[in-house]
Amino acid sequence: MKNLSDLEIWDLCVKGNKKAFEQLYLRYYELLYNYGMKIIDNRFIVSDTIQNLFINLITKYQRLSKTDFVKGYIILSFRNLLFDTLKKRDILSNYTEISDTFSISSLDDYFESEEIMLLQIKKSFQELSSRQQEILYLFYVRNLTHKEISVVLEINIQSSKNLLNRSIIMLKEKISKKGEHI
Amino acid sequence: MTRKNKYSDINEASRKIIEKVKAQELIPDETIKKSWINIENELKKRARFSKIKVLFLAIAASIIVVFISKIFYDNMFFYNDNKEITSISNICFYDTIPQDFEDVALRTETETAIIKDKSQLQYNSGDTYKEKNEEELNHLIVPYGKRIQVILSDGTQMYVNSGTQLIYPSRFIGATRNIFIKGEAFLQVAKDNEHPFIITSESNIKTVVLGTSFNISTQKDSVFSVVLVEGSVKVETSESDIIILKPNEKYLNDGVSQSVNSVNTSEYIAWINYIMYLSGKNLGYVLNDLSIHFGVDIICDPNLRSMPTGGKLDLKKGVDYALSVLSESLDLTYNKNEKGVWIVKKE
């Protein structure tokens, strides 16, 4: 089971194979957990949502259909379930707020170093919009392809490429501006 | 510095950041595998409920058949003189306390009693909802935002924290005194050297008590801890590992490894007096704890989550007061939305 590709695993899932779902869970838990925590910083809500997602997928496997973008589909389903949960508790009141919630709240969690360059990158990154931060995270840290990102963010592939390029350019500009003081 | 060098420095530093983030976000496979078990259990439960409906129709009235949680299998049979099983208890923990429990509740085989506005529950004093049978199992449910003090039939005192469930017999009969916990409680166990007091957690770790006071806590994801204030306890995990604790020591089991450390016990039992020590924890963590204690949803602006906090919070005056003290000390503001969710943000 471990050696099968995502597509092969998904084919088994669509047929209701529980071991296949378990393999999917083991592969994607870390991604979903860390992604979810950037949307809502509450580990109970996030881990419960991941489990509910898989319980739903397994019990309603007949409704699943073949897809070429397993990773993207899983993240998108998780994202939607998370938002439904947050909406129920009035933490988000409408759909447009979704794109504003992504936040790596403090890169200080990740660093002890005071190197000037890193500080500049940190600050510049946090000045980007939620959407820009999100696509940089998905592309560089989680290594999603543009095809997969287009599924998750519900935009087309070209928009994904444009957004990524704009985000990188924006980030570099901000970093350079800060660097001019040196 | 030429433009080319500048950009290669940026790229190098960016690469470092990405590597750091990836490393920080690693979750061990063991932890993930363990959490999958919750899904298996939930799926089994759903399958069993549909099977039991059919069974009830097929079986004669004198036999009671209900499913029980695996951990308690051995402890919940009642035998008559001929060593035949006469009944199987259906008392077992809820995975999460159902929303409809708004007050402390006491469940037995035959009924559920709601305990409103009482801060203490005492056995051996003649109230009707306790001790019907010799050794009737009681399931105490303390929802989030509530708490209660319980005095057991042997005189053991327990301060039970929010979001906790306990299972224990109304009277202790037998060689050992057994109770089961899912959540957090502070116990002052009555001394009885002939009858060891044993607390079993939902992850099947047994804490054997030798006449003492200590704080015991179980959390989601199999985290279990015991903080010993006075006396002596022995902690047995299912791997037949036995650890003996001395006063001011804390035993911690996170589901993967165990540790024993010296601690300042007042931090861990301050909750009994409605005080919460903040000791530098970040705001996100503190709001989470307050949320559990008061039984309400509390969230904050993402950028504020890692703000450090300090000092102590008095929880006796309620969530509004606690949030006002906390916000003032950090220059923040807060409000409550229509659905009762408390939101903390920048001024």
Side-chain angles (χ1 to χ4, degrees):
Chain A
M1 194 64 72
K2 281 189 203 161
N3 302 325
L4 299 177
S5 72
D6 278 357
L7 288 183
E8 289 166 332
I9 295 274
W10 187 252
D11 277 343
L12 291 171
C13 288
V14 171
K15 294 181 190 145
N17 184 322
K18 207 173 72 173
K19 279 287 178 186
F21 279 112
E22 183 177 355
Q23 184 58 223
L24 216 57
Y25 182 85
L26 296 175
R27 283 186 198 184
Y28 289 125
Y29 186 87
E30 186 186 297
L31 188 159
L32 295 177
Y33 181 82
N34 286 299
Y35 180 65
M37 286 294 281
K38 290 174 177 49
I39 293 174
I40 181 76
D41 184 20
N42 183 314
R43 61 186 195 272
F44 298 118
I45 295 181
V46 174
S47 54
D48 271 353
T49 305
I50 299 176
Q51 301 210 326
N52 289 335
L53 171 69
F54 274 83
I55 290 173
N56 289 346
L57 290 175
I58 295 172
T59 53
K60 299 178 187 158
Y61 74 87
Q62 292 102 332
R63 296 198 203 161
L64 299 176
S65 50
K66 282 190 109 172
T67 175
D68 289 335
F69 315 113
V70 181
K71 199 193 260 189
Y73 175 75
I74 298 283
I75 300 175
L76 177 63
S77 307
F78 171 69
R79 210 173 126 98
N80 288 335
L81 188 58
L82 189 57
F83 290 130
D84 284 345
T85 309
L86 297 178
K87 207 157 62 139
K88 269 192 200 141
R89 300 187 199 195
D90 249 0
I91 295 173
L92 292 178
S93 50
N94 56 52
Y95 194 79
T96 53
E97 284 183 45
I98 289 172
S99 32
D100 293 335
T101 55
F102 187 87
S103 151
I104 298 186
S105 61
S106 169
L107 290 172
D108 291 331
D109 287 346
Y110 297 124
F111 295 104
E112 291 131 3
S113 161
E114 295 301 314
E115 292 172 31
I116 296 177
M117 183 63 75
L118 288 177
L119 269 180
Q120 287 167 5
I121 298 178
K122 267 200 300 192
K123 290 219 173 92
S124 305
F125 184 83
Q126 285 170 316
E127 284 169 22
L128 296 176
S129 76
S130 274
R131 205 98 164 121
Q132 289 165 338
Q133 289 188 31
E134 187 170 0
I135 198 173
L136 286 172
Y137 176 77
L138 290 174
F139 190 83
Y140 284 109
V141 180
R142 288 292 155 191
N143 300 123
L144 262 67
T145 62
H146 281 295
K147 278 186 194 161
E148 288 165 342
I149 292 176
S150 72
V151 173
V152 176
L153 298 184
E154 298 179 289
I155 55 182
N156 64 46
I157 296 178
Q158 194 53 49
S159 303
S160 176
K161 290 183 180 168
N162 292 343
L163 178 60
L164 185 68
N165 284 334
R166 272 203 315 273
S167 307
I168 296 175
I169 292 172
M170 201 45 125
L171 185 62
K172 284 192 173 161
E173 271 175 21
K174 284 182 190 277
I175 295 173
S176 306
K177 273 205 188 112
K178 293 198 200 309
E180 274 155 20
H181 296 300
I182 298 177
Chain B
M1 201 193 292
T2 66
R3 216 169 167 74
K4 199 178 179 197
N5 284 349
K6 223 203 236 176
Y7 275 128
S8 66
D9 279 346
I10 294 180
N11 287 340
E12 184 50 43
S14 302
R15 218 163 296 150
K16 277 202 195 132
I17 293 182
I18 292 172
E19 288 312 315
K20 270 258 187 177
V21 170
K22 282 188 180 172
Q24 272 279 10
E25 292 193 348
L26 276 178
I27 300 179
D29 282 342
E30 275 309 304
T31 314
I32 305 177
K33 282 191 189 138
K34 281 209 157 101
S35 67
W36 171 260
I37 295 175
N38 293 338
I39 296 183
E40 295 264 14
N41 289 339
E42 181 62 33
L43 292 171
K44 278 187 200 147
K45 239 190 241 176
R46 293 192 188 192
R48 257 191 269 219
F49 269 122
S50 42
K51 281 192 198 147
I52 283 172
K53 278 187 208 154
V54 176
L55 268 177
F56 263 116
L57 297 172
I59 286 178
S62 57
I63 304 173
I64 304 166
V65 179
V66 186
F67 80 91
I68 52 180
S69 148
K70 198 171 173 214
I71 295 173
F72 300 110
Y73 193 78
D74 293 325
N75 294 303
M76 292 190 165
F77 288 100
F78 294 103
Y79 292 87
N80 65 14
D81 290 334
N82 298 329
K83 291 288 181 191
E84 277 166 8
I85 297 169
T86 52
S87 66
I88 300 171
S89 170
N90 71 340
I91 302 273
C92 64
F93 288 139
Y94 294 116
D95 272 343
T96 14
I97 297 177
Q99 301 271 34
D100 23 2
F101 283 106
E102 286 174 355
D103 286 297
V104 178
L106 196 63
R107 262 178 83 212
T108 61
E109 298 279 356
T110 44
E111 60 188 337
T112 302
I114 308 290
I115 304 175
K116 267 194 159 132
D117 303 328
K118 253 199 168 180
S119 57
Q120 198 188 86
L121 179 61
Q122 182 163 10
Y123 286 77
N124 283 341
S125 80
D127 275 344
T128 49
Y129 49 68
K130 306 179 244 80
E131 34 170 17
K132 289 234 167 93
N133 300 326
E134 282 295 293
E135 194 193 41
E136 182 161 52
L137 278 177
N138 286 179
H139 178 189
L140 182 73
I141 297 153
V142 182
Y144 290 111
K146 302 284 177 196
R147 48 165 49 208
I148 194 166
Q149 187 190 354
V150 181
I151 302 179
L152 297 176
S153 62
D154 65 341
T156 294
Q157 288 196 50
M158 306 192 292
Y159 292 85
V160 187
N161 210 349
S162 325
T164 300
Q165 302 176 58
L166 283 171
I167 295 180
Y168 51 85
S170 54
R171 205 168 295 182
F172 289 115
I173 294 174
T176 57
R177 299 174 277 169
N178 282 285
I179 77 172
F180 303 89
I181 186 169
K182 182 176 159 89
E184 182 169 22
F186 177 80
L187 287 87
Q188 287 165 310
V189 174
K191 216 169 191 160
D192 182 349
N193 295 328
E194 321 245 319
H195 304 100
F197 194 99
I198 303 178
I199 304 140
T200 308
S201 75
E202 41 160 349
S203 46
N204 220 9
I205 300 178
K206 295 189 193 317
T207 306
V208 182
V209 179
L210 312 159
T212 121
S213 50
F214 58 95
N215 196 70
I216 192 165
S217 169
T218 74
Q219 293 170 46
K220 255 191 176 173
D221 313 331
S222 331
V223 176
F224 170 86
S225 72
V226 180
V227 174
L228 182 59
V229 176
E230 221 181 84
S232 167
V233 302
K234 196 166 66 162
V235 183
E236 297 174 18
T237 56
S238 44
E239 293 108 50
S240 22
D241 235 313
I242 299 180
I243 290 178
I244 299 184
L245 287 186
K246 297 198 280 287
N248 297 314
E249 285 189 337
K250 170 182 160 185
Y251 167 86
L252 176 67
N253 183 318
D254 61 9
V256 175
S257 61
Q258 316 173 72
S259 61
V260 176
N261 289 305
S262 299
V263 295
N264 176 358
T265 55
S266 43
E267 259 188 57
Y268 294 88
I269 58 174
W271 62 267
I272 299 170
N273 296 317
Y274 291 90
I275 292 181
M276 182 186 276
Y277 278 74
L278 299 175
S279 35
K281 292 190 200 128
N282 64 36
L283 184 63
Y285 195 91
V286 173
L287 292 182
N288 222 0
D289 278 354
L290 288 176
S291 184
I292 291 175
H293 176 87
F294 289 112
V296 295
D297 282 321
I298 307 176
I299 53 155
C300 71
D301 212 314
N303 302 321
L304 305 174
R305 284 169 204 153
S306 52
M307 282 185 92
T309 62
K312 300 189 283 202
L313 270 186
D314 183 346
L315 305 178
K316 274 194 287 288
K317 299 189 188 162
V319 59
D320 204 325
Y321 180 79
L323 285 180
S324 73
V325 169
L326 195 56
S327 308
E328 235 187 85
S329 69
L330 298 171
D331 266 334
L332 302 172
T333 182
Y334 69 97
N335 70 293
K336 182 163 85 157
N337 75 10
E338 304 95 50
K339 284 273 170 82
V341 179
W342 296 83
I343 305 175
V344 177
K345 44 188 186 250
K346 270 209 165 89
E347 297 236 86

